[in-house]
């Protein structure tokens, strides 16, 4: 596909926002009462990075990016 740069940027922003939602959810689900908050932040950050990488790889393999 030969998409304009603005459309490609829009896809990357959508992937980042979806990954952010997944990361927040993972951090929220991993937090336990009385536990350190930084553990939940690390889990959420790792999940965000993994999800964003997966989204970008899928878009690249489909030829969108």
């Amino acid at each position: 596909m030969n998409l304009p740069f603005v459309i490609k940027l829009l896809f990357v922003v959508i992937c980042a926002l979806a990954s952010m939602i997944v990361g927040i959810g993972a951090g929220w689900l991993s937090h336990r009462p009385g536990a350190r908050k930084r553990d939940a932040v690390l889990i959420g950050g790792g999940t965000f990075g993994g999800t964003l990488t997966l989204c970008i790889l899928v878009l690249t393999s489909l030829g969108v990016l």
Side-chain angles (χ1 to χ4, degrees), residues 1-3 13-17 20 24 27-28 31 34 38-41 45-46 49 57 61 64-65:
M1 286 185 187
N2 199 3
L3 297 173
V13 169
I14 289 171
C15 284
L17 290 175
M20 197 176 300
I24 290 170
W28 191 16
H31 180 66
R38 63 181 167 188
D39 294 336
V41 171
L57 286 174
S61 67
V64 175
L65 296 180

Side-chain angles (χ1 to χ4, degrees), residues 6-57:
V6 177
I7 301 299
K8 291 179 182 181
L9 183 64
L10 181 65
F11 277 125
V12 171
V13 169
I14 289 171
C15 284
L17 290 175
S19 299
M20 197 176 300
I21 291 171
V22 171
I24 290 170
W28 191 16
L29 287 174
S30 69
H31 180 66
R32 296 172 192 234
R36 298 181 299 189
K37 289 185 174 67
R38 63 181 167 188
D39 294 336
V41 171
L42 283 174
I43 289 174
T47 306
F48 168 77
T51 307
L52 185 62
T53 303
L54 183 65
C55 287
I56 296 297
L57 286 174

